[in-house]
Amino acid sequence: MSCLTSGFKAEIATIVGRDYVKENDAVSAIDYGILPENLGAGIVVLPGSTEELAAVVRCCHASSVAIVTHGGRTGLVGGGISRPGEIIISTARLNRITFLSPVENVAIVEAGVTLQALQEAAGEYGLEPGIDLPSRGSATIGGMASTNAGGIAAFRYGVMRHRILGLEAVLADGSIYSDLTRVVKNTAGYDLSHLFIGSEGTLGIITRIAIKLEPRPSFTATTLFGLPSTQAALSAMQRGLKARHGQLRAAEAIWPHYFYLTSTHHNWSAADYRADHPINLLLCIGGNDDADVQSEIENIYEDVATDYPDISAVIASSKAQEKAIWALREDTDLIYRKYPGAPSYDVSVPLSEVEAYLDRCMAKLKTLDPELSPYVFGHLGDGNLHVVLNTAHDAMDGEKIRAIEEIFYTGLNALGGTFSAEHGIGSKRAQTLIAQINHGKWMLMRQLKWSLDPTNTLNPGKVLTE
Amino acid sequence: MSCLTSGFKAEIATIVGRDYVKENDAVSAIDYGILPENLGAGIVVLPGSTEELAAVVRCCHASSVAIVTHGGRTGLVGGGISRPGEIIISTARLNRITFLSPVENVAIVEAGVTLQALQEAAGEYGLEPGIDLPSRGSATIGGMASTNAGGIAAFRYGVMRHRILGLEAVLADGSIYSDLTRVVKNTAGYDLSHLFIGSEGTLGIITRIAIKLEPRPSFTATTLFGLPSTQAALSAMQRGLKARHGQLRAAEAIWPHYFYLTSTHHNWSAADYRADHPINLLLCIGGNDDADVQSEIENIYEDVATDYPDISAVIASSKAQEKAIWALREDTDLIYRKYPGAPSYDVSVPLSEVEAYLDRCMAKLKTLDPELSPYVFGHLGDGNLHVVLNTAHDAMDGEKIRAIEEIFYTGLNALGGTFSAEHGIGSKRAQTLIAQINHGKWMLMRQLKWSLDPTNTLNPGKVLTE
């Protein structure tokens, strides 16, 4: 499969040990995640330390072998796709939490630690990483750093970029960049960590991360509102942000078509909750006083109902009910099982523009093809909307795909939003990136790539096409 | 004074208008802030728009004239020092708040807007920028962005880098980089904004910023504790972070020598508050329920007093008392009036290392010179300590200054801290930067500077020495 020389492979095996170079059947046995093409290189190398990883990179650099780095392979945009002649470096063995301090509220983790492993370790001290994603069981902190992952809590605690205090990365020539400060204030020169965060392994391979933790509230209260408009949902969310007791932890919006899909699949219903609201809003309040948090949710309901009398609401009264409400939002797999490879869009829209943006897009879409009725859901807290079309990927031709991208993307930059919110660029959106960002930014990106990786060793063809 | 050609000056005057090029007496009339050398160039240009500023930069680039950009001139490390033959670009006329949305909790401001102006504008909607500094009346958002300013709220809301959603900057060749997204999630390519944030005007001139706002609590309660140890202060702070009601807004520490200076100067005293505690801790809780916030502070006191019976405490019962407590922490001018140009240190120390670090430094300092008894105060929430020596700058020779730097800085990186927390590098700490950061980071910084500003037009000699 692979067209690498046996001498090269022997050298790699000497560095990491023969057991940690996987080929052939051993590769087929690896879970490829969402895309079979992830394992296209046919060879997976698993270094056991930063030093081993750096030595592998030096070896690749010397032999002009390109590298694709894998974390949990949960990426949705083909950032982990590899091809014969390249090697995959997996961070699976870099899975140690080397420091976790409840005095500092800081953890230092190797790149291959999963989000869930960190959540559990931090949870023992009443702390949490301040970032959460449905793919928490597989997604690694290294992968999340390199893709600048977002998720549910971003409106409050920021995205990965805002959680990372310091990092270590291996550069294209195999040298190690180390700036593992674990303090929030650091003006000791340019903060180069941000070159590696969000550049999807194209400028360096992140190997270790110092990450900020937050106190985890002891209690949460969750409610689902059925509301008459996005305006009403934004107003309910603003009320949540100004809670007298506790703090808003999540504000997730579910539009009708998607709500219908998940609620019917899960046989979800609640007394007096109507299924036909123009928008449904999941609000979660966290705090350290159970009664306060519950009464806050009830007060929010009262306030919202005063402003918008025609609403439905259900307040979860058990963990099971809370979980059932979350499943209505998070069970996105249902769409892809119905429409394999359904085209999806991951946009950030400034909150005051969300309603007009969606109205405009939906109208244009109906004009293009009356059968299209997308599933829409997302993080209302930060304006990140996920739109998935009710059509299989194979059912669309290139021209139609471009026409739909134009509907969702055109003008979004000028609005202060972005066509790529939290999923990244990978290979899937690399052409769109050229079309959507301004030329000055594009040129500066290329300049940085040339400067840091002149041999194009690191994840070639991702983010920036060759 | 200036050695610029009259042709060059005429060209600049054509761009911005004759009234906005200041020389001679007009420059002498400008408040130079903390350092007279700031105005050393003897010529100040005040563009009225990003386009004018970009045209000035193009003109400088073509004529090989270096540029020093000025905001509020509140910097403490000589980042704004200018020399004859250079020009100063002041952002004073770029002082418009062009967007402020209480739906999005976002403002877009020009670089010359002061922090206080933004605080006041946001305050009208019950919002705040999530960053606060004693120099709020003069410090500009552009200056704060370019120096990655920190301040009081950083433990909770991060530093400027974490507040900025998007920005516009003028590059060394006078081209305009524009990425003014106003959303928190953005993975549309490398986030180049972070090259400009914290690089102190050496990679680009920030002209406009989209900044995140936070709900401002309606009520605050402030207390000052006298405590037996740093350990006790950290424990009190952790208790504050886990408040049942409201949220911790500030955790500021004042060590005895500085406490004595400010409390005697202000004739401050409170019943039963002893002046001889090893550490004093100012805690502030904010929330939207007055009674809750007050009772939370009282509960924190009860809990701390249970663990550490030998404490003093005063809870402010009026805005005037609150202000008086803050003056004990913020009136740092008292030191400099007593010891002009007193050497100061601005370090970040991981919280679990603060006590041992200070003990070690103080012991070494006493060995070096028994007369040295520094003033120590700082942001305990994030481990940022400010240390000011009780000696005038002129009383120290170079060797002694280096010996003291060695005491405060050696080993700090390895601890996970940094010798430069929030004041930046400027010209004052540029030599120390070379000594303190690792060579790989230094080389990468130079590579970026060469790549983005090959003619060394932007703030030459700052951060990176030539």
Side-chain angles (χ1 to χ4, degrees):
Chain A
M1 175 84 182
S2 154
C3 49
L4 302 168
T5 68
S6 56
F8 171 82
K9 289 190 212 164
E11 210 175 332
I12 297 291
T14 308
I15 296 167
V16 299
R18 197 159 298 279
D19 288 352
Y20 299 115
V21 180
K22 312 273 186 201
E23 285 191 276
N24 307 320
D25 289 356
V27 168
S28 312
I30 295 173
D31 176 11
Y32 56 69
I34 198 160
L35 293 168
E37 300 94 308
N38 281 338
L39 297 175
I43 176 166
V44 181
V45 180
L46 296 106
S49 66
T50 300
E51 291 67 29
E52 282 185 15
L53 194 150
V56 172
V57 175
R58 278 195 296 277
C59 188
C60 291
H61 189 248
S63 302
S64 299
V65 173
I67 299 164
V68 180
T69 308
H70 279 187
R73 287 180 282 270
T74 60
L76 300 171
V77 292
I81 288 176
S82 64
R83 293 164 293 198
E86 301 175 338
I87 69 158
I88 296 161
I89 292 183
S90 163
T91 59
R93 289 175 67 216
L94 304 176
N95 61 355
R96 287 158 291 228
I97 297 173
T98 57
F99 177 84
L100 203 163
S101 165
V103 175
E104 298 180 17
N105 292 359
V106 169
I108 299 182
V109 304
E110 292 182 330
V113 169
T114 64
L115 173 57
Q116 190 171 321
L118 177 59
Q119 285 173 329
E120 286 168 4
E124 288 184 26
Y125 298 98
L127 299 169
E128 61 183 3
I131 193 154
D132 196 17
L133 313 169
S135 59
R136 56 188 77 80
S138 311
T140 61
I141 301 296
M144 290 170 64
S146 73
T147 57
N148 192 24
I152 298 155
F155 73 97
R156 183 164 159 208
Y157 291 130
V159 293
M160 274 303 274
R161 190 180 293 289
H162 306 110
R163 312 298 313 151
I164 294 173
L165 298 171
L167 61 74
E168 175 193 79
V170 174
L171 306 185
D173 63 0
S175 62
I176 298 173
Y177 172 84
S178 182
D179 197 1
L180 271 171
T181 46
R182 49 184 217 251
V183 287
V184 72
K185 288 181 182 163
N186 183 4
T187 55
Y190 305 162
D191 191 343
L192 304 178
S193 301
H194 290 275
L195 287 176
F196 307 113
I197 301 168
S199 57
E200 305 185 28
T202 62
L203 298 180
I205 300 174
I206 297 173
T207 48
R208 205 190 301 249
I209 294 145
I211 187 168
K212 204 174 169 228
L213 306 173
E214 303 290 338
R216 189 180 63 176
S218 312
F219 305 97
T220 57
T222 302
T223 184
L224 188 72
F225 289 124
L227 294 160
S229 63
T230 304
Q231 176 57 42
L234 287 171
S235 156
M237 183 184 80
Q238 282 291 344
R239 173 61 185 80
L241 282 172
K242 290 177 180 148
R244 287 169 81 90
H245 301 110
Q247 280 190 290
L248 191 65
R249 279 178 74 71
E252 297 288 314
I254 311 170
W255 275 266
H257 194 192
Y258 181 63
F259 184 72
Y260 179 80
L261 181 77
T262 55
S263 61
T264 52
H265 176 86
H266 289 290
N267 265 322
W268 185 89
S269 67
D272 302 328
Y273 199 102
R274 298 200 336 259
D276 62 346
H277 288 284
I279 187 169
N280 302 274
L281 178 69
L282 185 166
L283 286 187
C284 177
I285 297 279
N288 292 324
D289 185 311
D290 198 9
D292 273 2
V293 162
Q294 286 297 333
S295 74
E296 184 70 37
I297 277 280
E298 283 156 29
N299 291 338
I300 291 175
Y301 167 73
E302 300 286 340
D303 290 353
V304 175
T306 303
D307 291 346
Y308 300 95
D310 186 28
I311 66 174
S312 293
V314 53
I315 298 177
S317 60
S318 68
K319 283 282 158 202
Q321 283 186 19
E322 202 167 50
K323 209 173 150 189
I325 291 175
W326 272 105
L328 299 176
R329 160 65 185 84
E330 289 195 341
D331 198 357
T332 52
D333 261 9
L334 290 175
I335 305 173
Y336 297 103
R337 267 181 266 160
K338 201 164 169 183
Y339 303 105
S344 72
Y345 309 88
D346 160 47
V347 297
S348 272
V349 186
L351 292 180
S352 52
E353 303 286 347
V354 167
E355 187 149 25
Y357 170 82
L358 276 179
D359 287 352
R360 198 165 55 237
C361 290
M362 294 309 143
K364 285 183 183 170
L365 219 50
K366 278 271 171 273
T367 308
L368 183 76
D369 178 353
E371 297 297 310
L372 286 177
S373 172
Y375 300 103
V376 186
F377 49 92
H379 313 286
L380 196 69
D382 57 45
N384 175 197
L385 306 179
H386 297 294
V387 180
V388 189
L389 297 187
N390 58 330
T391 177
H393 182 261
D394 297 344
M396 308 264 280
D397 61 19
E399 198 182 335
K400 192 163 180 186
I401 285 177
R402 275 188 297 277
I404 296 173
E405 282 199 353
E406 195 166 314
I407 288 173
F408 285 111
Y409 297 159
T410 303
L412 203 42
N413 252 347
L415 272 187
T418 169
F419 82 99
S420 176
E422 62 178 1
H423 294 165
I425 301 300
S427 48
K428 191 173 157 192
R429 302 211 201 281
Q431 287 302 326
T432 311
L433 181 74
I434 301 176
Q436 292 299 328
I437 66 168
N438 73 51
H439 188 67
K441 179 170 176 178
W442 171 250
M443 290 303 289
L444 214 42
M445 283 176 60
R446 285 178 70 103
Q447 198 176 327
L448 282 171
K449 174 72 177 173
W450 285 328
S451 182
L452 271 80
D453 181 17
T455 54
N456 206 12
T457 298
L458 300 175
N459 216 4
K462 316 298 163 52
V463 187
L464 289 165
T465 49
E466 284 148 288
Chain B
M1 174 86 184
S2 153
C3 48
L4 303 168
T5 68
S6 56
F8 172 82
K9 289 189 213 167
E11 209 174 332
I12 298 292
T14 307
I15 296 165
V16 299
R18 197 158 297 278
D19 289 351
Y20 298 114
V21 180
K22 311 274 184 198
E23 285 191 277
N24 306 320
D25 289 356
V27 169
S28 313
I30 295 173
D31 177 9
Y32 55 70
I34 199 161
L35 293 168
E37 300 94 307
N38 281 337
L39 297 176
I43 174 166
V44 181
V45 180
L46 296 105
S49 67
T50 300
E51 290 66 30
E52 282 186 15
L53 195 151
V56 171
V57 174
R58 279 196 296 279
C59 188
C60 290
H61 190 248
S63 303
S64 300
V65 172
I67 298 164
V68 179
T69 308
H70 280 188
R73 285 180 283 271
T74 61
L76 300 170
V77 292
I81 288 176
S82 64
R83 291 164 295 199
E86 300 175 341
I87 69 156
I88 296 161
I89 292 183
S90 163
T91 59
R93 289 175 67 215
L94 304 176
N95 62 354
R96 286 157 291 227
I97 298 174
T98 57
F99 178 83
L100 202 162
S101 164
V103 176
E104 299 181 19
N105 291 0
V106 169
I108 299 181
V109 304
E110 293 181 329
V113 168
T114 64
L115 173 57
Q116 188 171 324
L118 177 58
Q119 285 173 328
E120 286 168 4
E124 287 183 28
Y125 298 98
L127 299 169
E128 60 183 4
I131 194 155
D132 196 17
L133 311 170
S135 58
R136 56 189 76 81
S138 311
T140 61
I141 301 297
M144 290 170 65
S146 72
T147 56
N148 192 24
I152 297 154
F155 72 97
R156 183 161 159 211
Y157 291 130
V159 293
M160 273 305 273
R161 189 178 296 290
H162 306 110
R163 312 299 311 151
I164 294 173
L165 299 171
L167 60 74
E168 174 192 80
V170 174
L171 306 184
D173 64 0
S175 62
I176 297 172
Y177 173 84
S178 182
D179 198 0
L180 271 172
T181 46
R182 48 185 216 250
V183 288
V184 72
K185 286 181 182 164
N186 183 3
T187 56
Y190 307 161
D191 191 344
L192 304 178
S193 300
H194 290 275
L195 288 176
F196 307 114
I197 301 168
S199 57
E200 306 186 26
T202 62
L203 298 179
I205 300 173
I206 297 172
T207 47
R208 206 189 303 246
I209 294 146
I211 186 167
K212 205 174 167 228
L213 305 173
E214 303 290 338
R216 188 181 63 177
S218 311
F219 304 97
T220 57
T222 302
T223 183
L224 188 71
F225 288 124
L227 294 159
S229 63
T230 304
Q231 177 55 47
L234 287 170
S235 157
M237 184 185 81
Q238 282 291 343
R239 173 60 187 79
L241 282 173
K242 288 172 181 153
R244 287 169 81 90
H245 301 109
Q247 279 190 290
L248 191 63
R249 280 177 72 73
E252 296 288 314
I254 311 170
W255 274 266
H257 194 190
Y258 181 62
F259 184 71
Y260 179 81
L261 180 77
T262 54
S263 61
T264 53
H265 176 86
H266 288 290
N267 265 321
W268 185 89
S269 67
D272 302 326
Y273 199 101
R274 298 199 336 260
D276 63 347
H277 288 283
I279 188 169
N280 302 274
L281 178 68
L282 184 165
L283 285 186
C284 176
I285 296 280
N288 292 325
D289 185 311
D290 197 9
D292 274 1
V293 162
Q294 285 297 331
S295 73
E296 184 68 37
I297 277 280
E298 282 157 29
N299 291 338
I300 292 175
Y301 167 72
E302 300 286 340
D303 290 352
V304 175
T306 304
D307 291 345
Y308 301 95
D310 186 29
I311 66 172
S312 293
V314 53
I315 299 178
S317 60
S318 68
K319 282 282 159 205
Q321 283 185 19
E322 202 167 51
K323 208 172 152 191
I325 291 175
W326 272 105
L328 299 176
R329 161 63 186 85
E330 289 195 339
D331 198 357
T332 52
D333 261 9
L334 289 176
I335 306 173
Y336 296 103
R337 265 181 266 159
K338 201 165 168 183
Y339 302 106
S344 72
Y345 308 89
D346 160 48
V347 297
S348 271
V349 185
L351 290 181
S352 54
E353 304 286 348
V354 167
E355 187 149 26
Y357 170 82
L358 276 180
D359 286 353
R360 199 164 55 237
C361 290
M362 293 308 144
K364 285 184 183 168
L365 217 51
K366 277 271 172 275
T367 309
L368 184 77
D369 178 353
E371 298 297 310
L372 286 177
S373 172
Y375 299 103
V376 185
F377 49 91
H379 312 287
L380 196 70
D382 57 47
N384 176 197
L385 306 180
H386 297 294
V387 180
V388 188
L389 298 186
N390 59 329
T391 177
H393 183 262
D394 296 344
M396 308 262 281
D397 62 19
E399 199 184 332
K400 192 162 178 184
I401 285 177
R402 276 189 297 279
I404 295 173
E405 282 199 353
E406 197 166 312
I407 289 173
F408 284 111
Y409 297 158
T410 303
L412 203 44
N413 252 346
L415 273 187
T418 170
F419 81 99
S420 175
E422 62 177 0
H423 295 165
I425 301 300
S427 48
K428 191 173 157 191
R429 302 209 200 283
Q431 286 303 325
T432 311
L433 181 74
I434 301 176
Q436 292 299 326
I437 67 168
N438 73 51
H439 188 66
K441 178 168 174 178
W442 171 250
M443 290 304 289
L444 214 43
M445 283 176 59
R446 286 179 69 102
Q447 198 176 326
L448 283 172
K449 173 71 177 175
W450 285 329
S451 183
L452 270 80
D453 182 17
T455 54
N456 205 12
T457 298
L458 300 175
N459 217 4
K462 315 298 163 53
V463 187
L464 289 164
T465 48
E466 283 148 289

